[in-house]
């Protein structure tokens, strides 16, 4: 039996310094963001830009190498911590989704309408823009089409983890519009991950009927398994954990279930965050007081580290090239206009008011790290070059920064009803009798 050596002391030191630096700067910038009226997620997203090659790495490269790992092994360790944070963040968000909304046919239809409208329009706009631009991958017809399709998917995604953190920071998880944004974002991202898997296959082995059939079967099989065996098994585990008066069993069960769900979806070729969110839905709403310790650690420690890592791989100094700068402007305008207009139209078609539609458009417009993942896939497959990767990540950061103030402006004009008050008391862990007495 081969004995695996422990982590090298130097690697451990690099990991500890990197994590401490990212968390410290993320918390400081997050606090500064709240002081100027923005959610802490804005500062946390800008942490990677500050510490990465865009600023510190460009001005003081030696200092940057001392604080943040400069080798792949060190960064992979930090990425692992960040991935744990995003999976738990998405899983906890799933537990906050009101089951009554899933059972409400009108609201379920509204979520699907918003999702499809908010996906198709920006995707088509992105494909059109991609065909008009020069494909970095090459001048061949196949390369241009793949470049355009990748850009379309990047324009169509919605960042479920960032939306979840934004709504949590702003105290909007209890709002019905916030719940619908989460539901629509889930459908949106599931469709985009499916499209991304098809494009990745086309870029490597070629897009065939067989590969499409496998992807569709994997998604359908995971959904059926979760709704049947998964629902029964998770319910039994959570009821068992709830018998204890201590929060430990509930926290441990929640973490294990979320990680298993993520592993299953990732193993099937789907994105891990989809499985984490579905696991959160299956867990439902355990005693909020028992889940509070996990929620605190995720929102204040793990999620900020995850968000801080998003900007560490981009180089905004590349935008000094005038050609790339004009390309960036065009991509930003298409991304914001297409997504916002598409989601707004879908909300209005679903019978929402003007302010509710604007709020949905603002929330769905946030791209965050999901778009970064799409950009990384394009870079890895040779579809994007470093310049286009930087442009797409810039869109992710700008749209995530835009969402909070727009949500505050629009939802401030939407009346809070009794259902939302009861949901807020439940999320905050109030006495169930107090939540039941909440009225319009």
């Amino acid at each position: 039996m081969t004995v695996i050596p422990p982590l090298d002391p130097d690697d451990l030191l690099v990991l500890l310094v990197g994590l401490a630096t990212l968390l410290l700067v993320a918390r400081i910038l997050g606090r500064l963001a709240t002081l100027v009226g923005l959610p802490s997620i804005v500062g946390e997203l800008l942490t990677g830009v500050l510490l990465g090659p865009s600023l510190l790495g460009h001005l003081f490269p030696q200092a940057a190498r001392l604080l943040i790992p400069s080798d792949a092994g060190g960064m992979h360790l930090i990425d692992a911590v960040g991935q744990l944070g995003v999976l738990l963040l998405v899983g906890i968000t799933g537990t906050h989704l009101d089951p009554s909304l899933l059972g409400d046919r009108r609201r379920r239809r509204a979520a699907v309408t918003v999702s499809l409208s908010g996906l198709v329009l920006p995707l088509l706009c992105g494909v059109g823009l991609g065909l008009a631009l020069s494909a970095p991958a090459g001048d061949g017809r196949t390369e241009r089409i793949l470049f355009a399709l990748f850009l379309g998917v990047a324009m169509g995604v919605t960042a479920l983890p960032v939306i979840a953190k934004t709504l949590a920071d702003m105290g909007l998880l209890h709002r019905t519009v916030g719940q619908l944004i989460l539901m629509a974002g889930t459908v949106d991202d599931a469709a985009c991950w499916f499209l991304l898997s098809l494009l990745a296959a086309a870029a490597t082995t070629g897009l065939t009927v067989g590969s499409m059939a496998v992807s569709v079967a994997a998604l359908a099989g995971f959904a059926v398994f979760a709704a049947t065996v998964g629902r029964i098994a998770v319910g039994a585990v959570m009821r068992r954990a709830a018998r204890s008066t201590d929060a430990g069993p509930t926290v441990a069960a929640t973490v294990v279930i979320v990680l298993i769900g993520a592993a299953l979806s990732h193993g099937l070729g789907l994105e891990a965050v989809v499985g984490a969110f579905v696991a959160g839905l299956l867990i439902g709403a355990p005693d909020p007081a028992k889940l509070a310790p996990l929620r605190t650690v995720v929102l204040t420690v793990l999620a900020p580290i995850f968000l801080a890592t998003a900007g560490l791989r981009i180089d905004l100094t590349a935008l000094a090239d005038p050609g790339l700068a004009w390309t960036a402007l065009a991509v930003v305008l298409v991304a914001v206009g297409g997504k916002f207009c598409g989601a707004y139209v879908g909300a209005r078609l679903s019978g929402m008011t003007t302010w509710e539609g604007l709020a949905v458009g603002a929330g769905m417009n946030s791209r965050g790290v999901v778009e970064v993942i799409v950009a990384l896939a394009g870079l890895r497959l040779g579809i994007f070059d470093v310049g286009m990767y930087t442009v797409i990540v810039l869109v992710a950061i700008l749209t995530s920064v835009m969402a909070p103030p727009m949500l505050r402006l629009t939802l401030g004009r939407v009346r809070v009803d009794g259902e939302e008050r009861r949901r807020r008391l439940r999320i905050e862990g109030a006495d169930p009798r107090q939540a039941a007495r909440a009225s319009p």
Side-chain angles (χ1 to χ4, degrees), residues 82-97 158-165 173 182 185-186 189 193 254 258 262 271-283 298-299 303 306 370 373:
Q83 286 300 310
L84 175 63
V86 70
L87 294 176
L88 294 179
L89 172 63
V90 172
I92 291 176
T93 302
T95 68
H96 289 156
L97 193 62
T158 295
L160 185 61
V162 174
I163 291 177
K165 186 66 163 54
L173 282 175
L182 290 177
T186 304
D189 278 358
W193 294 130
T254 299
V258 168
E271 181 58 30
V273 292
V274 175
F277 188 78
V278 171
L281 293 177
L282 296 179
I283 291 170
V298 171
L299 292 180
F306 160 69
V370 175
I373 296 173

Side-chain angles (χ1 to χ4, degrees), residues 7-17 77:
L7 184 64
D8 185 88
D10 291 338
D11 292 338
L12 178 60
L13 178 61
V14 170
L15 172 64
L16 295 177
V17 172
L77 291 175

Side-chain angles (χ1 to χ4, degrees), residues 3-203:
V3 178
I4 299 176
L7 184 64
D8 185 88
D10 291 338
D11 292 338
L12 178 60
L13 178 61
V14 170
L15 172 64
L16 295 177
V17 172
L19 290 177
T21 301
L22 289 174
L23 181 57
L24 176 61
V25 177
R27 295 296 295 171
I28 292 174
L29 294 184
R31 178 57 179 164
L32 291 176
T34 60
L35 291 177
V36 297
L38 296 173
S40 61
I41 186 176
V42 174
E44 293 163 359
L45 277 171
L46 293 177
T47 299
V49 177
L50 176 64
L51 297 176
S54 298
L55 191 59
L56 185 64
H58 178 68
L59 299 177
F60 306 102
Q62 293 291 344
R65 283 193 288 269
L66 288 175
L67 296 175
I68 303 297
S70 57
D71 63 298
M75 276 306 303
H76 288 166
L77 291 175
I78 289 182
D79 285 340
V81 177
Q83 286 300 310
L84 175 63
V86 70
L87 294 176
L88 294 179
L89 172 63
V90 172
I92 291 176
T93 302
T95 68
H96 289 156
L97 193 62
D98 192 343
S100 65
L101 291 179
L102 294 174
D104 188 320
R105 183 177 179 182
R106 180 179 63 85
R107 288 174 175 169
R108 187 170 63 244
R109 184 171 61 249
V112 174
T113 302
V114 168
S115 175
L116 293 179
S117 180
L119 171 63
V120 173
L121 182 59
L123 191 149
L124 293 177
C125 290
V127 170
L129 178 62
L131 292 175
L133 296 173
S134 297
D139 297 326
R141 182 172 181 272
T142 301
E143 288 79 4
R144 291 185 62 83
I145 292 176
L146 280 175
F147 171 75
L149 291 174
F150 256 91
L151 186 60
V153 172
M155 297 299 96
V157 298
T158 295
L160 185 61
V162 174
I163 291 177
K165 186 66 163 54
T166 299
L167 294 174
D169 283 347
M170 301 180 69
L172 297 177
L173 282 175
H174 68 288
R175 299 300 302 269
T176 298
V177 172
Q179 299 273 311
L180 287 173
I181 290 173
L182 290 177
M183 293 172 62
T186 304
V187 178
D188 215 20
D189 278 358
C192 282
W193 294 130
F194 174 67
L195 292 175
L196 182 61
S197 66
L198 294 182
L199 292 178

Side-chain angles (χ1 to χ4, degrees), residues 216-226 228 268:
V216 172
L219 184 61
F222 181 74
V224 171
F225 178 81
T228 54
L268 290 172

Side-chain angles (χ1 to χ4, degrees), residues 202-257:
T204 52
T205 60
L207 187 58
T208 64
V209 175
S211 63
M212 291 181 61
V214 170
S215 298
V216 172
L219 184 61
F222 181 74
V224 171
F225 178 81
T228 54
V229 177
R231 181 175 60 84
I232 296 173
V234 169
V237 171
M238 294 308 299
R239 284 192 298 270
R240 176 85 176 182
R243 295 176 186 174
S244 173
T245 57
D246 182 46
T250 298
V251 169
T254 299
V255 172
V256 170
I257 291 170

